[in-house]
Amino acid sequence: MTTILMDTQTVGDGPTSRRLMGAALGQSWYDESDRRYTGRHWWGTVADDDIPDPLTGAAAAQMSAELGLPGFDDGRKGTDIVVVAADLGTTWADEAGDERTREAAGEFVASSMLWHLWPKMLMHEGRRPMTLTVTVDGVHIPVPAPESTRDLRPFADALNRLRSGCGNQFTRATRPRTVGSFAYELVPARDVQQPDPLVAAAKPFAQPMRHVARMRMAELVVDYLECTPHPDPLFGYAGVFKASREADHYFAGAEPPTHDDWVEKGLTGTARGVVWGARRSITKQIQEIVTPRPIAGGAGTAGLGEIARRLSGLIPGGVLAQPTAGQGNGSEAAPDQQRSSPGSTSHGSTDESAGGGSPGRRPGSAPRIIGAPQLEVHEERPYLVARVAIPSSPYLRTIEVRTHIVVDGGGLETETSPSGRTPTVLRWRNIANGAVVQGRALVVPAGADSEWWVYTEALPDAVVRMGVTVVREPA
């Protein structure tokens, strides 16, 4: 039997600001009348409804002291969770490994906190809502910031996209009309570095990454939904689904006491429609990402992606149409970028400056791509990066970068890429001052000329053409 004591001190001075309760999870069993018991136990004060409630106020403080718990006499706020007669387990899930030391158990706790509480550790509205600390016998075990770890960074990026309103919403014809939103990030499938032992200690899934972190409005990870592997073995993906405010209580009702799943069995009516529909929407969206679709124009216009994938190993860096010495394009990698050498990457790029803007524009006045876009690796993730020069103008303008898939013969694909969609323009970054603008559109005020790095999603099995154009300016 596993038993814990939970001692909480919240902000405020009310009678329920201090709470203490015990809980245990044992084996389920049946009594003589074939009535099933779950094996869950609670200790507290039994209310009139015959359900144990926490001890509160002075009674909770007194019991905490009698049990020898740390308490909150020093003015701290928070929750202490004490494991009674803790079984530290083994270093392997199949119990074939060595017994965990106290230090290894502390690292496992830190890793578990990281994998399930990382949304609370991200900067949001100017602060980090939660700070996590772990100590073992007075020795501090550092818990890394999620955005600094290779495994959690793509999940953090996907959640930040949701927070900024860039995710795909899942909707219904009836209430609740908005169920939640979804975003994902493409990631390399192969580990190019040794994994961080602390992050790996409680990692809830194995490579390749093909998982969606599901969470409610509170932004605590419920689970990592395993989805279809990416068809290109070089790539995986990390996604985040977050329930909407109006649908949140349906997901709460689908959670077991362990809060580690959304159980559809037993749900009926709207609740089943919301929870089952959300999972179905996630898997459908993933299928659209990873399943190749027919290319417009029939079998005779198959994309160059497969040829690019097979031949890219013969090209230094794996990038098609890179500028050669003497082109004089003046383009260099961004200071925080690292040139990719993946050997068999399946991305290509051609320099395609669409010019754009009004007809009759004088030469040199249109924004343009300098040189050929490059396949770069930033924080171990692949991007197509282009350098865009925007000339000075007395007018405010909206500039967009547009992407197309190149098909056999050099034409542009009219529908989607071989992986099911066109590459997404992720962000602009000003070369001079580092300012970042999310999305494919950049609003440029009147003034001097400027240069920007443009980051575009790198799709597998696709040759990408990029163009820059003015989509809105005064007549």
Side-chain angles (χ1 to χ4, degrees):
M1 181 178 293
T2 303
T3 305
I4 61 173
L5 301 174
M6 295 158 288
D7 192 9
T8 297
Q9 176 67 61
T10 64
V11 176
D13 299 322
T16 61
S17 63
R18 181 65 182 273
R19 298 191 292 269
L20 173 66
M21 193 169 190
L25 181 62
Q27 297 294 324
S28 61
W29 56 285
Y30 293 85
D31 63 12
E32 298 82 359
S33 58
D34 207 29
R35 181 182 181 185
R36 182 178 181 272
Y37 290 82
T38 64
R40 299 182 178 94
H41 303 262
W42 289 268
W43 289 272
T45 177
V46 180
D48 294 338
D49 57 6
D50 203 33
I51 296 176
D53 290 332
L55 294 174
T56 59
Q62 179 180 349
M63 180 61 69
S64 174
E66 291 177 2
L67 292 172
L69 304 185
F72 299 94
D73 291 340
D74 56 1
R76 294 180 302 118
K77 304 294 188 292
T79 298
D80 288 330
I81 301 176
V82 178
V83 182
V84 179
D87 179 359
L88 301 183
T90 62
T91 54
W92 298 96
D94 61 2
E95 301 184 359
D98 298 330
E99 291 187 3
R100 283 197 185 98
T101 63
R102 296 163 70 93
E103 293 76 14
E107 290 184 353
F108 185 83
V109 169
S111 182
S112 298
M113 295 166 65
L114 185 63
W115 277 102
H116 292 89
L117 302 179
W118 60 263
K120 293 295 188 183
M121 302 171 65
L122 299 178
M123 289 295 295
H124 187 43
E125 298 179 346
R127 67 185 185 93
R128 296 184 187 270
M130 188 177 291
T131 300
L132 306 180
T133 60
V134 178
T135 58
V136 177
D137 296 331
V139 178
H140 178 67
I141 297 178
V143 181
E147 63 269 32
S148 71
T149 70
R150 182 177 68 255
D151 285 331
L152 285 168
R153 185 185 307 123
F155 291 105
D157 290 345
L159 179 57
N160 284 331
R161 289 182 62 188
L162 291 186
R163 288 173 172 176
S164 63
C166 296
N168 296 328
Q169 286 194 338
F170 296 156
T171 58
R172 290 164 26 100
T174 58
R175 295 181 182 275
R177 299 190 182 279
T178 301
V179 173
S181 52
F182 168 78
Y184 79 98
E185 295 286 327
L186 193 70
V187 298
R190 295 181 298 183
D191 287 333
V192 296
Q193 297 180 358
Q194 290 295 323
D196 183 327
L198 186 143
V199 176
K203 185 175 179 178
F205 54 80
Q207 296 294 99
M209 191 176 290
R210 55 190 185 282
H211 298 78
V212 175
R214 301 193 294 180
M215 62 188 70
R216 290 164 46 207
M217 285 294 298
E219 293 190 348
L220 301 174
V221 177
V222 173
D223 65 2
Y224 291 88
L225 181 66
E226 182 176 334
C227 300
T228 305
H230 199 286
D232 190 319
L234 296 177
F235 290 90
Y237 55 86
V240 171
F241 171 82
K242 181 179 173 181
S244 70
R245 188 175 302 278
E246 61 179 320
D248 192 76
H249 66 283
Y250 292 107
F251 293 99
E255 291 182 8
T258 50
H259 302 286
D260 58 356
D261 194 6
W262 287 336
V263 181
E264 299 165 16
K265 185 177 180 180
L267 297 179
T268 59
T270 301
R272 177 171 175 78
V274 168
V275 178
W276 175 83
R279 180 176 57 82
R280 181 177 178 274
S281 296
I282 293 172
T283 55
K284 182 179 179 181
Q285 180 106 7
I286 293 296
Q287 283 297 121
E288 292 176 355
I289 294 169
V290 303
T291 303
R293 293 181 175 180
I295 301 173
T301 58
L304 296 176
E306 179 63 18
I307 299 175
R309 186 182 70 81
R310 296 190 181 196
L311 298 182
S312 59
L314 304 177
I315 303 172
V319 182
L320 301 180
Q322 287 203 38
T324 58
Q327 280 184 307
N329 56 31
S331 174
E332 76 263 8
D336 61 348
Q337 302 294 316
Q338 175 184 349
R339 186 64 47 82
S340 171
S341 299
S344 59
T345 181
S346 54
H347 296 281
S349 176
T350 60
D351 181 22
E352 174 64 23
S353 180
S358 304
R361 186 188 305 275
R362 65 179 177 83
S365 64
R368 67 191 187 281
I369 294 178
I370 301 177
Q374 306 278 330
L375 180 63
E376 307 284 353
V377 173
H378 174 53
E379 296 181 339
E380 302 175 26
R381 297 179 53 208
Y383 298 88
L384 287 177
V385 183
R387 185 169 183 161
V388 176
I390 301 177
S392 61
S393 171
Y395 306 111
L396 181 146
R397 294 159 294 167
T398 299
I399 314 294
E400 281 190 1
V401 166
R402 297 176 178 176
T403 58
H404 303 277
I405 302 299
V406 182
V407 298
D408 193 11
L412 300 182
E413 190 176 321
T414 57
E415 290 186 358
T416 55
S417 72
S419 62
R421 58 192 179 86
T422 55
T424 300
V425 179
L426 301 173
R427 64 184 68 89
W428 298 67
R429 186 168 67 83
N430 190 291
I431 294 177
N433 60 28
V436 175
V437 176
Q438 302 292 336
R440 75 176 185 178
L442 175 70
V443 178
V444 182
D449 57 283
S450 59
E451 290 191 357
W452 297 73
W453 295 113
V454 178
Y455 296 79
T456 300
E457 184 180 24
L459 294 184
D461 294 346
V463 177
V464 179
R465 179 172 294 172
M466 301 174 67
V468 59
T469 184
V470 177
V471 296
R472 192 179 301 116
E473 66 176 355

